[in-house]
Amino acid sequence: MGKIEIDPLRWKEEVLKKYPKKVAKKRDKGILVHDGEMPKQIMANVRSIPGIITARGCTYAGCKGVVLGPTRDIINLVHGPIGCSFYAWLTRRNQTLPPTPESENFMNYCFSTDMQDSNIVFGGELKLKQAVREVFEIFKPKSIGIFSTCPVGLIGDDVHAVAREMKEELGINIFGFSCEGYKGVSQSAGHHIANNTLMKHVIGRNDTAPEGKYKINMLGEYNIGGDAFELERIFEKCGLTLVSSFSGNSTIEQFERAHTADLNVIMCHRSINYVAEMMETKFGIPWFKVNFIGADASAKSLRRIAEYFEDAELMARVEEVIAEEMAIVKEAIETVYPRTTGKVAMLFVGGSRAHHYQELFSELGMSTLSAGYEFGHRDDYEGRRVIPTIQVDADSRNIEVLTIEADETRYRPRKTDEEIAALNAKGCGFGEYDGMMADMAKGALIIDDISHYEMEKLIEIYHPDIFCAGIKEKYCVQKMGIPLKQLHSYDYGGPYAGFEGAVNFYNDIDMMINTSIWKMIKAPWQVEPVIEAEYGV
Ligand code: CFM
Ligand code: HCA
């Protein structure tokens, strides 16, 4: 696979040698050279080593930015100092398409209580109430979410009590999130908190089901680069009704009636598995993972959905759509393939993209020499069946685990256990090892929560043709003469999901790796002596 200049095991050994003993011992368990066999165990979802330079974000980012951010008509009011709002303002590039220009859309705004020293000393609840009343008076929203940042948890302001009181006073749905940034070990805790609150306060409040024969929810799709728009197009073409999307291009009303769907399909399992499992327990809605990153993966996912409904008409329609879309995809791939085949990629992204995008690269004939998640759990690497979710939720120590019971009046199992087992046997559900590692080749380096030092060493030794990560890594990597594709933001391009998305990706990657500009950049170690810091013990 690709151009391996030194044995990955030796690479690992050299990197670990640079660390103090205790650090090396811990990093040893988070770096794995694949021997091609499954099952395989990796250490993940544990605290980052202070000072090591992680790419991770905080709990507030996972809750407010990721899960709730893309919903256009819930006002996201941040209780905290202004910086927490200002630096999160529009940074996740949420896209949405309100049906009319008059429809509610608060996504471009930045709402904050702008806490000051006096609020830290004397408490900020009064200020929060005042902010809720003010935002209600000006915007008359259907709903307000209140998000706690670090100081709020430290001083003990009760955002939930304020939410209850204001809900009573104003008569709209208001709920709080205890998503202080420091909770958990990464963004992942924030996803869990967001999921719990949606389940407690929103999902199931409206029993009117939309029209449609095959009703699905799309979970874990956040409309980065317009991905959800492309998936909506495909679903509509196939005759599938999208009840709600968590949470790309979404509204609170869609969440409220999500339980009327027949099936939950999951794109990013890491960020939304809690909602999927709770909806299954409460309403009897089964779920399985899909992957719409990659044209072949998209076709496979559509076939799985059609198989689930076991309806000949739907299956025929899906095949027609696949045939039509694939004709365009095939034409695009034929043009770029000779220029991309044999090249090497590395992918370090949050909790699912470092896996999903490997499909797109393999369509280009490219191999993934190294990949890892910022904050994925062991099940995201090893496969869900191997590790029950509960065991891997170490970051959820401080997070309420909701007790969910079947809602007797509304529980309607869309399939019996036997039917689900039969479908799984056909490949409809998830396989035993449905995580990242089962899809990676022997010799690949799998690195959890990669440190900056490890990233530099990967590039220096292996010179990948493309490195995929985020904004924090982009310019360091490009200064080393290696193109970096942001897989969080698509460098403001996209969509990359679905069929049209795959074509966009092929063309963008072809352009990036085949421009001659990278050869003109000399990496610092090629032109000057290397100054390396020693890690203290
Ligand atoms: Fe899921 Fe996401 Fe991701 Fe994620 Fe994120 Fe994101 Fe990501 Mo950035 S929910 S885990 S917390 S797919 S914001 S839309 S791009 S790190 S790989
Ligand atoms: C976050 C959000 C982020 C950051 C992206 C990046 C996103 O985790 O706080 O580092 O480029 O996708 O916006 O993951």
Side-chain angles (χ1 to χ4, degrees):
M1 51 173 284
K3 29 175 164 173
I4 302 182
E5 278 154 31
I6 78 165
D7 178 349
L9 280 167
R10 233 195 81 213
W11 178 91
K12 179 177 169 180
E13 209 177 289
E14 296 292 319
V15 164
L16 293 184
K17 253 200 249 163
K18 285 281 175 191
Y19 289 136
K21 246 187 171 162
K22 252 169 94 178
V23 173
K25 200 171 158 207
K26 192 165 177 189
R27 288 306 297 144
D28 182 27
K29 299 192 192 111
I31 303 175
L32 197 140
V33 180
H34 209 334
D35 61 5
E37 302 291 321
M38 289 299 287
K40 184 121 277 82
Q41 192 169 319
I42 191 165
M43 187 172 80
N45 188 32
V46 293
R47 284 186 62 200
S48 302
I49 294 155
I52 203 164
I53 314 188
T54 166
R56 283 173 165 174
C58 71
T59 298
Y60 161 74
C63 181
K64 189 253 178 195
V66 176
V67 181
L68 271 297
T71 311
R72 62 175 168 264
D73 57 359
I74 301 176
I75 282 191
N76 290 349
L77 173 59
V78 176
H79 188 33
I82 194 64
C84 304
S85 267
F86 183 76
Y87 292 108
W89 187 14
L90 296 181
T91 54
R92 237 174 116 273
R93 318 150 303 280
N94 299 312
Q95 297 188 25
T96 199
L97 213 58
T100 69
E102 293 75 38
S103 308
E104 278 177 318
N105 178 10
F106 306 119
M107 264 174 25
N108 293 337
Y109 291 89
C110 174
F111 300 97
S112 170
T113 52
D114 182 21
M115 267 182 139
Q116 303 292 315
D117 302 16
S118 61
N119 309 124
I120 303 287
V121 177
F122 300 108
E125 290 180 14
L126 283 177
K127 192 167 196 190
L128 175 60
K129 284 183 205 171
Q130 195 191 333
V132 173
R133 290 192 188 105
E134 193 179 316
V135 88
F136 178 73
E137 207 161 285
I138 300 172
F139 294 96
K140 297 280 177 322
K142 291 188 204 77
S143 176
I144 301 172
I146 301 167
F147 297 84
S148 308
T149 62
C150 293
V152 173
L154 297 176
I155 65 170
D157 274 3
D158 188 345
V159 297
H160 306 287
V162 171
R164 276 195 301 275
E165 193 185 322
M166 289 294 101
K167 184 174 175 175
E168 183 95 340
E169 182 181 312
L170 304 174
I172 58 164
N173 196 359
I174 303 179
F175 34 85
F177 298 85
S178 291
C179 56
E180 296 85 3
Y182 56 78
K183 272 197 178 167
V185 301
S186 67
Q187 290 93 320
S188 176
H191 303 144
H192 197 165
I193 293 164
N195 283 211
N196 280 354
T197 305
L198 286 173
M199 197 64 199
K200 241 165 130 172
H201 295 277
V202 188
I203 296 166
R205 282 167 60 101
N206 181 348
D207 285 328
T208 36
E211 294 285 314
K213 212 164 153 194
Y214 322 106
K215 291 196 278 289
I216 62 169
N217 294 315
M218 179 82 186
L219 306 191
E221 168 46 60
Y222 301 97
N223 205 17
I224 301 299
D227 278 351
F229 298 147
E230 163 69 355
L231 300 186
E232 285 169 15
R233 178 186 77 81
I234 296 171
F235 292 159
E236 199 184 324
K237 213 167 155 186
C238 292
L240 296 162
T241 302
L242 191 61
V243 182
S244 74
S245 163
F246 286 71
S247 52
N249 196 27
S250 64
T251 64
I252 188 161
E253 199 197 345
Q254 291 168 2
F255 294 162
E256 286 169 343
R257 46 191 206 170
H259 63 297
T260 64
D262 301 306
L263 173 68
N264 281 333
V265 296
I266 307 205
M267 270 292 278
C268 172
H269 171 263
R270 180 65 275 128
S271 56
I272 207 89
N273 66 323
Y274 315 97
V275 159
E277 286 179 12
M278 289 187 281
M279 282 178 81
E280 184 168 27
T281 310
K282 187 164 177 181
F283 302 111
I285 307 176
W287 61 270
F288 54 77
K289 288 188 189 181
V290 288
N291 177 18
F292 283 98
I293 301 297
D296 291 338
S298 299
K300 197 165 131 197
S301 296
L302 284 176
R303 289 192 177 114
R304 271 187 176 185
I305 297 172
E307 258 173 41
Y308 171 83
F309 285 103
E310 294 178 289
D311 182 301
E313 191 192 325
L314 178 64
M315 285 183 193
R317 181 76 201 118
V318 159
E319 287 307 327
E320 263 170 53
V321 172
I322 293 173
E324 206 179 302
E325 299 282 332
M326 276 302 197
I328 299 150
V329 170
K330 210 166 155 256
E331 212 183 292
I333 198 74
E334 269 164 17
T335 322
V336 298
Y337 193 86
R339 292 192 293 262
T340 54
T341 186
K343 307 268 183 190
V344 171
M346 293 187 176
L347 285 76
F348 291 91
V349 210
S352 60
R353 289 164 193 253
H355 177 202
H356 286 166
Y357 275 80
Q358 293 187 27
E359 296 248 11
L360 261 175
F361 279 114
S362 70
E363 286 173 15
L364 287 164
M366 295 175 62
S367 58
T368 302
L369 176 54
S370 185
Y373 299 127
E374 286 173 26
F375 51 78
H377 297 202
R378 277 184 53 203
D379 54 351
D380 301 307
Y381 286 104
E382 299 171 29
R384 185 172 181 275
R385 281 291 156 95
V386 185
I387 318 159
T389 310
I390 203 81
Q391 259 184 319
V392 284
D393 272 351
D395 73 344
S396 303
R397 291 185 296 276
N398 302 323
I399 299 154
E400 191 188 356
V401 176
L402 299 185
T403 316
I404 300 289
E405 277 162 18
D407 177 341
E408 274 168 30
T409 55
R410 293 185 292 177
Y411 186 89
R412 50 178 187 110
R414 278 44 174 195
K415 292 255 187 251
T416 62
D417 287 351
E418 291 75 41
E419 284 167 334
I420 297 271
L423 283 169
N424 272 350
K426 280 202 280 174
C428 183
F430 35 82
E432 228 187 348
Y433 307 122
D434 59 354
M436 174 202 281
M437 295 203 289
D439 286 347
M440 291 191 75
K442 191 171 169 190
L445 260 163
I446 296 145
I447 308 177
D448 180 63
D449 187 18
I450 193 171
S451 73
H452 188 88
Y453 176 73
E454 291 155 16
M455 181 183 84
E456 283 193 357
K457 287 294 158 194
L458 273 181
I459 292 171
E460 192 187 319
I461 305 296
Y462 293 112
H463 320 289
D465 296 290
I466 193 157
F467 198 91
C468 300
I471 192 67
K472 300 184 284 294
E473 297 79 37
K474 184 168 175 87
Y475 299 101
C476 302
V477 171
Q478 293 196 162
K479 280 178 193 162
M480 297 179 206
I482 303 290
L484 185 142
K485 181 76 202 164
Q486 293 189 66
L487 283 190
H488 301 261
S489 69
Y490 306 161
D491 294 302
Y492 322 104
Y496 289 152
F499 302 104
E500 287 183 6
V503 174
N504 290 337
F505 191 79
Y506 303 154
N507 292 331
D508 287 357
I509 297 302
D510 175 33
M511 246 187 330
M512 283 183 85
I513 62 179
N514 288 309
T515 164
S516 53
I517 191 76
W518 308 110
K519 293 190 191 79
M520 297 175 193
I521 299 169
K522 285 253 179 273
W525 67 81
Q526 292 171 313
V527 285
E528 43 190 76
V530 182
I531 305 167
E532 275 184 291
E534 286 287 323
Y535 283 88
V537 189

